[in-house]
Structure formats: C-alpha cells, structure tokens
Amino acid sequence: MHASHLTEQRFPEVVTFGESMALLIAEGGKGLEYANTLTPSFGGAESNVAIGLARLGHTSGWCGRLGDDPFGHRVIKAIRGEGVDVSRAQLTAEAPTGLMIRENVAGKSSVYYYRKLSAASRMRPEHLDEAYIAGAKILHVTGITPALSDSCAETAAAAMDLAKRHGVKVSFDPNLRLKLWDLEAARKVLLPLAMKADYFLPGLDELKLLYETESLEEILSRLNELPGVSVIKGGKDETYLFEHGKLTPVPYYKVDHVIDTVGAGDGFCAGFLSGLLRGYALEEAVRLGNLIGSQVIQAVGDWEGLPSAAEIDRLLSGVGHVER
C-alpha cells in the first residue's frame, strides 16, 4: 500500500456546525420557579442532526465552539459518545458554553436561553476547516447559527460558499427562533441563505412569517424562485416536497402518544439526509424523515429519541418489538 493511502484522511459524509448548549430540564412538571430538581443534558439543532445521522449508520461531524468549562467538556464528550466526529470542534477560554433551561408545565414547553456572548457566538469564518467541508457529501446549516451574532451569520454564509465551491450539497433548515432575533433581522439573513441551499427545509409556519403571507400559493411562488428543492415541514397531515414547481404531499406516520415535540424537526432533517445518502428518491427521503420525526416525539429530550438504523429497518419491515 502506498504511503499516500495511509495518510489519506477520511472525512464524514455530513458536516454541520453551530451552537450546542448545556441544557437543564426542570423535573416534576413544575415551572422553574418551583422546581427543586434540574436534570442536565445538552442540545443544539445541528448536533441533534449529526447524532441522528450517526445512529442511522452514517458518518457525521459536528464543528462548533464551546467554553473550556465543565459544561463544554460535558457536551463535547456526549456528542463524541454518540459516534459523531468532533475533531474540528474547539474549546475556548475566551467565553463560556451557552446554556438553555427548559420547563414543561401542563404539556407546554418553554425554553430560556443564556447564550449571549457565548463561545459559539464568537465563531468567525476563519474557524472553518475548508478541507473538512470539502470532504463531505452534504453540509447541513441552520438559521439558529446566524441569529447568534454578525460573525456567526458571516460564518454560516462562508461555510455554504465553501461547500458550493467544492461541489458539496448544502442543506438549510431556517429554524426561525424569535427569542434570538426579531423577524425583520431574520428575514434579511435567512432569505439570502435559502438561495444558497440545494435542500431548503423550512416549516410552514416559518414560511408564513418569512414571506409575510398566509397564502400557500404565494409561498410556493416565492419558493419557486429558489434554485434548490424545498421540503415544507408542518403541514396538517403531511410534509410537502416542492420540486421544479411540483408539489407532492408525503403523509405523516401517525403515533399514539406524543410525549415531547422538541427535536422533531431535527429528527426529520436527519432522516431526510439519511435518505439522500442511501440514494433514495426525494419523496422516499421525505418519507424517511417523517418516520424519524414520528419516533422522536415519542420520547423526552432533544435527541434521546432518535432511532438506530436497526430500529428503523424493523419499523419499515413491520417487525414488532420482542420483549423477551
């Protein structure tokens, strides 16, 4: 074997980056004001997607900046423990790891962010590893990262441009978070990023806000101006695939018990990207996204309910769970 083969680096199939935060969850169905116990975990849209892909048998990499503090070490170990490559993630002493705290009262989940001036908010384009992005098949970006700071918005755009330059497909979930920025600011940044995407993965409610219209016809006419394929999550009973002016509804998988809807969109993205990597037709990739999303909402947590490849194969082949 030639030496060059030995030194040749193997890069993950999907690369994503953004802010992963320490997460504290109020227990006992009490609001934060009265809860006595907070359970630690972590969360972040991009790392959720990377974990979902790793569980489905793909190679994925998550890049980002975390504080060189106990929370940062906890988060990076947990993501690595899920089989995601974190070789390009960085721990920095210049700022702390972001934190989110969640309460779930009477079935209604509320999130409180403590992420202003976090380590991730200081990401800059020069922190990106061009070879790492160039070696991927897909770059996955969300609209949460650009909401963190101007330098994060520049970094997201730069990452997409790097991917395009190297023929890497770009997947973009706008993930509109109005607790992080106002709608006008979000529009100015997210709509141009959508123009750079091969796969644009918005929710229907997000599109109504971004395009300032309730009309599906008007929304589709705007989506038709984008160069890529759009997948609209959050229809009443289906996800919509919109490709070259053609709208295809793909029905949801019905579940008996919805426990926690947090992370469903990230689960969908992981399933959809997995379908693309498996060589599925777009409609089948959307179907797989719907299936993964339906599994996530049956468990508590951002990423804990993401299924393995074996579980999905069992569901697809209709084999039930053998308890003993």
Side-chain angles (χ1 to χ4, degrees), residues 19-318:
E19 177 163 42
S20 290
M21 291 164 289
L23 166 63
L24 298 175
I25 304 165
E27 294 300 348
K30 293 179 182 175
L32 281 166
E33 202 173 331
Y34 303 105
N36 296 319
T37 311
L38 297 174
T39 300
S41 182
F42 73 94
E46 300 84 5
S47 53
N48 294 346
V49 171
I51 289 169
L53 285 160
R55 288 193 179 177
L56 290 169
H58 304 286
T59 54
S60 61
W62 174 82
C63 325
R65 284 170 83 72
L66 296 159
D68 190 0
D69 51 33
F71 278 142
H73 288 273
R74 184 183 183 111
V75 170
I76 206 165
K77 279 183 191 167
I79 297 174
R80 184 191 293 124
E82 285 292 330
V84 175
D85 179 62
V86 290
S87 61
R88 301 309 189 276
Q90 295 157 334
L91 293 165
T92 170
E94 71 181 22
T97 302
L99 172 67
M100 63 174 161
I101 304 181
R102 179 177 300 136
E103 61 183 7
N104 199 321
V105 184
K108 198 171 164 57
S109 187
S110 299
V111 172
Y112 302 90
Y113 291 122
Y114 300 85
R115 63 201 295 186
K116 268 208 172 23
L117 306 178
S118 67
S121 74
R122 299 181 179 216
M123 272 190 289
R124 297 188 301 277
E126 58 265 32
H127 292 141
L128 296 168
D129 182 329
E130 183 167 354
Y132 194 66
I133 292 173
K137 290 178 179 169
I138 300 170
L139 170 75
H140 179 69
V141 178
T142 84
I144 296 175
T145 306
L148 301 178
S149 66
D150 289 346
S151 71
C152 279
E154 286 165 30
T155 306
M160 289 169 133
D161 290 340
L162 281 177
K164 302 298 273 182
R165 195 179 310 150
H166 292 282
V168 176
K169 296 288 188 197
V170 174
S171 155
F172 178 52
D173 181 344
N175 242 325
L176 185 60
R177 293 284 185 272
L178 294 177
K179 281 192 175 182
L180 296 179
W181 54 355
D182 67 66
L183 188 51
E184 204 45 55
R187 258 192 216 112
K188 283 195 186 102
V189 174
L190 298 182
L191 294 177
L193 291 180
M195 293 297 291
K196 297 177 189 282
D198 295 284
Y199 305 105
F200 182 43
L201 309 172
L204 186 54
D205 289 345
E206 291 172 326
L207 290 176
K208 288 175 179 176
L209 291 169
L210 290 171
Y211 290 143
E212 301 177 85
T213 177
E214 289 289 316
S215 154
L216 183 61
E217 199 177 325
E218 175 77 14
I219 286 168
L220 296 180
S221 139
R222 295 291 297 274
L223 290 175
N224 219 13
E225 295 165 11
L226 300 180
V229 168
S230 295
V231 177
I232 309 167
K233 306 176 300 232
K236 188 167 177 291
D237 293 302
E238 62 258 309
T239 303
Y240 299 105
L241 169 63
F242 188 62
E243 183 188 13
H244 308 312
K246 179 172 179 261
L247 188 69
T248 308
V250 183
Y252 293 151
Y253 287 83
K254 296 283 189 279
V255 300
D256 295 331
H257 302 291
V258 176
I259 293 174
D260 183 0
T261 57
V262 173
D266 300 330
F268 174 86
C269 290
F272 174 71
L273 297 180
S274 172
L276 296 179
L277 293 169
R278 293 169 184 220
Y280 289 8
L282 283 169
E283 191 177 334
E284 292 311 307
V286 172
R287 212 179 299 285
L288 184 58
N290 283 350
L291 181 59
I292 307 290
S294 75
Q295 298 306 294
V296 172
I297 60 177
Q298 297 180 75
V300 174
D302 286 41
W303 51 270
E304 288 84 345
L306 289 160
S308 68
E311 286 171 281
I312 287 303
D313 290 342
R314 259 203 310 276
L315 286 166
L316 290 174
S317 60

